[in-house]
Amino acid sequence: MTACRELEVKLAVAPADVRRLCELGPLSDWPDTREHQQSVYFDTRRHDLRKAGLTLRVRRSGGSTIQTMKTRTGGAGLFARDEWENAVPTLEPQLDLIRDQLPAGMIDAVANELVPFASIEIERTTWMVTARPDLVEVSLDQGSVSAGQLAEGITEIELELKAGSPRALFDFWKKLARRVPLRVDVLSKPELAEAIAAGSLGKAAKAERIDVEAGMTTAEGLVAIILSGMRQFRLNEEILRSRHQREAVHQLHVAIRRLQTAFLLFEPIAEGRRHRRLICEVYRLNRLIGRVRDCDIVIELLANAGCYLEPLQDRRDHAYRRFVAELQRRRVPDWIMKLVRWVTIGKWRQRAGAKAPLSSFLAWRLDAWWAGFSDDVPPLKAMTRKERHRFRIRVKRLRYALEFSRGLHPDRKHERKAFSEVLEALQSKLGVLNDRWTMQRIQPYRLTIPTELANPKIDADLLKDAQADFDQLLRLTPYWRGPRPRQPEGAAALRRGEAARTAASRKPGLRSVGSAHG
């Protein structure tokens, strides 16, 4: 058996760009080899392997047949995985060869239930790019993924580090991206097959649960959370680049806000020039999609009220076309490339705070954010609309941060559920209030708001209910608290980051305004 640690980046390329990539780009300097590959992926009908974070594949290529077991980790097209390879005689899996890699008791559970769920046929062209001591394998795959009676074509580039520094992989990615548009492909081939079989391909993607554990370092937690947000961003971006889907707009906006929260949450260990540039692009995208989302919200509120919505729909369509035009430019994939590189090999990873336990870091940060809610917050009805908007953003960010840290508190399930339910109820009511404010702000678009929707008693009742939720929240004990968390290294960086963010927030481009811009 051969065991190794794999670092791989998957990139989607348009079929029309393949010739230019191969013949005119940096790949033309290296000899290539070509082969036909047939791969079959296996799992039980209950998806036991997938639930255990494993992928089992048998691949026939040339004169050899190799069985591979991989851990299913990664996001945003970056896969840092353990894998185990064995030569086998046929395309049937040999479970005895992977007994040691399966969780206890699973070998007997899957022995009689393993079935093929996907078949992949590709023509693979491979280049070995050498710059001693670095070796990067570049593979161009063209073919199809089949699941049952359904199939989907694929054209993708894989960059795999075989030896040397990860920097070599990212440098070559940058060279290729100068020649043709390359977008990070966040779905592995088995995930693509599962999506095809389930009929979920092309549907809006919600945020997935993030598997953080108590044994992680702060750097490992940051990478997992950032790449999870990037995965949700890319899945919904692909939909919006082809068609307008309201739910995909909403979920892409959620992905952007979760990325904002992650950048701010980990600022004490990550603050620096590149961190600021990356988060500025997140704010820019948030502002652009926020204009689309604002219009969608108001159109939905007034859809059954008999209002004349055509001017607002025209505004929404204009904002949507502008946002999609931004997605089509190279600026967004370049930002994603820089982000993936930063989380993987950024200098911030060498800081002492990045190597500290994730659990103690997040306990400290959550305590700092929670203090802002309990220290002399005025009654909601005494706040201005903009103050309530900023308060709503803080509530939302706290909720996202608690979702990020969910895996760190498996023994406090009931306390976490009670706290989260009240926090979500508070956010929901503040969100409705903000949506109604947005509805009133767009009066210049010749909207006549029906009396029953403009009734101020609705706002008063929402404020009263939101205040009750907030009061209940303050009575709950923060479940993430164990012993009082010690302030980890990085406090000085936090103070610098807060000062920089305060200055940046004065710029028009970074200001959060309106319902969707939080």
Side-chain angles (χ1 to χ4, degrees):
M1 173 184 293
T2 302
C4 65
R5 183 73 171 173
E6 175 188 51
L7 177 62
E8 176 184 297
V9 173
K10 282 166 44 67
L11 305 168
V13 57
D17 291 328
V18 168
R19 181 177 178 182
R20 184 153 54 103
L21 181 70
C22 298
E23 297 181 0
L24 301 178
L27 290 175
S28 61
D29 298 332
W30 302 91
D32 63 54
T33 60
R34 304 189 181 196
E35 61 183 4
H36 177 81
Q37 291 186 349
Q38 179 185 6
S39 302
V40 182
Y41 288 83
F42 295 86
D43 204 342
T44 67
R45 298 188 188 281
R46 299 188 304 272
H47 308 293
D48 291 315
L49 292 179
R50 184 186 68 186
K51 292 174 183 177
L54 298 169
T55 297
L56 178 60
R57 178 193 74 205
V58 182
R59 171 179 290 169
R60 177 175 292 157
S61 178
S64 63
T65 305
I66 302 295
Q67 173 177 289
T68 304
M69 172 77 82
K70 295 185 180 184
T71 55
R72 296 179 64 150
T73 59
L78 178 70
F79 301 90
R81 309 178 287 198
D82 294 313
E83 64 173 23
W84 299 268
E85 293 186 341
N86 301 92
V88 293
T90 69
L91 285 173
E92 291 297 320
Q94 307 292 314
L95 294 184
D96 288 344
L97 299 175
I98 56 172
R99 183 180 296 272
D100 294 340
Q101 283 69 54
L102 292 174
M106 182 174 286
I107 186 69
D108 296 326
V110 304
N112 299 317
E113 301 181 36
L114 211 58
V115 295
F117 72 88
S119 176
I120 299 174
E121 298 262 357
I122 61 170
E123 297 295 331
R124 169 166 286 191
T125 306
T126 304
W127 297 262
M128 302 303 293
V129 179
T130 306
R132 292 185 180 181
D134 304 317
L135 177 61
V136 177
E137 180 182 84
V138 183
S139 301
L140 170 65
D141 291 344
Q142 297 173 281
S144 63
V145 177
S146 302
Q149 301 299 315
L150 303 175
E152 185 80 14
I154 56 171
T155 306
E156 65 183 25
I157 288 277
E158 293 183 3
L159 308 181
E160 182 177 348
L161 183 68
K162 292 295 187 179
S165 169
R167 190 178 303 276
L169 184 148
F170 289 102
D171 288 345
F172 199 75
W173 176 2
K174 186 175 181 179
K175 290 180 181 179
L176 294 177
R178 288 173 180 166
R179 293 290 182 175
V180 299
L182 297 175
R183 297 182 181 274
V184 168
D185 194 349
V186 297
L187 287 179
S188 66
K189 293 183 179 72
E191 287 175 328
L192 176 59
E194 290 166 1
I196 294 170
S200 60
L201 195 65
K203 292 185 178 179
K206 294 184 178 181
E208 299 171 349
R209 180 172 176 173
I210 303 172
D211 295 323
V212 299
E213 301 173 353
M216 283 184 167
T217 65
T218 302
E220 290 170 339
L222 182 154
V223 171
I225 292 167
I226 290 285
L227 292 185
S228 173
M230 186 55 59
R231 177 181 171 90
Q232 186 186 12
F233 179 97
R234 281 289 296 125
L235 290 173
N236 291 289
E237 179 198 3
E238 283 301 303
I239 297 172
L240 295 182
R241 288 176 60 236
S242 60
R243 66 186 186 280
H244 185 187
Q245 187 185 113
R246 182 176 297 179
E247 181 61 18
V249 171
H250 173 56
Q251 293 302 331
L252 182 59
H253 192 207
V254 170
I256 291 172
R257 293 184 304 206
R258 288 170 70 90
L259 284 168
Q260 284 179 332
T261 301
F263 274 113
L264 297 174
L265 185 65
F266 286 92
E267 193 172 43
I269 65 161
E271 194 273 338
R273 179 171 53 86
R274 285 188 171 84
H275 173 271
R276 290 192 294 273
R277 288 180 176 178
L278 291 168
I279 196 173
C280 280
E281 182 66 10
V282 177
Y283 277 104
R284 188 184 75 89
L285 292 171
N286 185 62
R287 187 171 69 254
L288 290 171
I289 197 172
R291 294 166 183 164
V292 184
R293 185 66 182 147
D294 275 350
C295 295
D296 277 342
I297 287 171
V298 178
I299 290 172
E300 187 174 348
L301 284 173
L302 300 179
N304 299 318
C307 297
Y308 177 62
L309 297 177
E310 186 173 341
L312 184 58
Q313 290 168 338
D314 290 342
R315 182 196 184 200
R316 188 268 314 277
D317 292 343
H318 174 75
Y320 176 74
R321 287 192 298 269
R322 182 179 176 187
F323 181 69
V324 172
E326 285 297 316
L327 296 181
Q328 301 287 10
R329 295 174 58 198
R330 291 197 178 186
R331 180 170 178 171
V332 172
D334 284 352
W335 165 69
I336 294 176
M337 176 177 63
K338 293 173 183 176
L339 178 55
V340 176
R341 179 181 181 126
W342 178 78
V343 299
T344 308
I345 60 173
K347 291 182 179 179
W348 65 271
R349 297 178 66 100
Q350 305 305 315
R351 297 173 182 170
K355 302 172 185 178
L358 175 65
S359 54
S360 61
F361 175 84
L362 284 183
W364 171 60
R365 292 297 285 144
L366 290 171
D367 255 11
W369 283 18
W370 175 245
F373 288 89
S374 52
D375 293 348
D376 301 324
V377 175
L380 296 179
K381 65 180 181 180
M383 296 181 184
T384 66
R385 285 172 169 173
K386 287 189 177 182
E387 288 172 340
R388 281 199 300 269
H389 169 68
R390 288 192 289 268
F391 179 74
R392 179 183 68 90
I393 292 173
R394 289 165 55 199
V395 170
K396 186 180 301 182
R397 286 175 177 165
L398 178 64
R399 181 185 163 207
Y400 288 154
L402 292 175
E403 288 178 2
F404 297 160
S405 63
R406 177 176 178 173
L408 300 177
H409 311 104
D411 57 334
R412 304 175 197 172
K413 181 177 179 181
H414 297 296
E415 295 92 334
R416 175 177 54 78
K417 182 178 180 181
F419 197 96
S420 299
E421 285 178 349
V422 177
L423 189 65
E424 185 174 355
L426 173 60
Q427 178 191 328
S428 177
K429 294 180 180 67
L430 291 173
V432 174
L433 278 166
N434 211 60
D435 293 345
R436 290 175 55 77
W437 178 31
T438 303
M439 180 175 63
Q440 296 171 26
R441 282 195 301 110
I442 59 174
Q443 285 284 13
Y445 289 87
R446 292 183 285 167
L447 289 178
T448 302
I449 300 176
T451 304
E452 59 272 20
L453 288 179
N455 188 347
K457 186 177 184 302
I458 298 176
D459 293 343
D461 290 343
L462 283 168
L463 273 174
K464 181 179 178 181
D465 292 343
Q467 185 66 55
D469 288 336
F470 184 47
D471 293 341
Q472 182 182 355
L473 189 70
L474 293 178
R475 290 193 294 269
L476 295 175
T477 301
Y479 65 87
W480 61 85
R481 284 180 175 170
R484 183 170 181 81
R486 182 177 65 86
Q487 179 172 303
E489 289 191 45
L494 175 60
R495 288 193 295 271
R496 290 195 304 271
E498 288 177 339
R501 190 168 70 255
T502 300
S505 67
R506 298 190 183 103
K507 300 179 182 179
L510 299 183
R511 209 175 283 147
S512 294
V513 180
S515 173
H517 293 185

